[in-house]
Amino acid sequence: MEMPPAPLIFVVDDEPLVAEVVETILDLEGYRTRVFLEPEKALDELMHTEASPDLLLTDFRMPNMNGMELIRRSKEKFPELKSILFSGHVDENVMATQSARPDRFMRKPFFPETLLEMIHTLVPPRAA
């Protein structure tokens, strides 16, 4: 019997070093990742795919579109899409007036273990 593919996580952060570190953490944990440095490119990929990612992990503060807007627009096509918003500049209060909210919020900087624990509550890794 063929194993289902590992969960796919879209990582969106305009800071290349942060995106690379998160990608490495997730890859080592057995997740598949797609990394985007521009939220518009992540949204374009989402709008032109039939299979949604299992999780959208996005920074809040980015040029042209913030993470809350990316989550809102992504959930228009995939209402069940799980999401985590992270930021070093704002706190959870930024979500109070938003129509679409992330499933979790994480402050930057964060420890890899904390990130993985949060992800596991939303998208458990598949057993090998």
Side-chain angles (χ1 to χ4, degrees):
M1 189 158 108
E2 193 173 313
M3 290 291 295
L8 174 61
I9 299 177
F10 275 24
V11 178
V12 187
D13 196 313
D14 63 319
E15 296 179 51
L17 182 59
V18 172
E20 185 179 318
V21 167
V22 170
E23 178 184 30
T24 300
I25 292 167
L26 297 177
D27 286 349
L28 289 171
E29 191 69 7
Y31 290 102
R32 293 177 300 138
T33 55
R34 288 289 319 267
V35 174
F36 302 90
L37 300 178
E38 299 170 30
E40 301 87 358
K41 289 189 177 176
L43 187 61
D44 185 60
E45 176 97 5
L46 271 169
M47 294 302 135
H48 295 97
T49 185
E50 292 303 313
S52 73
D54 297 282
L55 178 69
L56 172 62
L57 179 61
T58 181
D59 189 21
F60 175 76
R61 185 178 288 179
M62 297 179 285
N64 304 320
M65 181 189 313
N66 70 43
M68 289 298 299
E69 177 70 7
L70 176 60
I71 290 169
R72 184 187 67 75
R73 294 178 66 184
S74 299
K75 287 186 179 242
E76 287 174 2
K77 181 170 183 188
F78 296 108
E80 301 302 314
L81 179 62
K82 301 289 186 199
S83 60
I84 297 174
L85 179 74
F86 53 88
S87 178
H89 304 286
V90 298
D91 60 25
E92 290 182 81
N93 294 330
V94 73
M95 299 181 290
T97 61
Q98 305 296 316
S99 57
R101 295 186 179 162
D103 294 282
R104 302 281 188 276
F105 176 82
M106 181 177 295
R107 299 257 328 137
K108 280 182 175 179
F110 47 79
F111 291 105
E113 299 81 11
T114 307
L115 174 65
L116 289 172
E117 285 171 13
M118 188 173 287
I119 291 172
H120 290 166
T121 67
L122 296 172
V123 183
R126 299 215 170 98

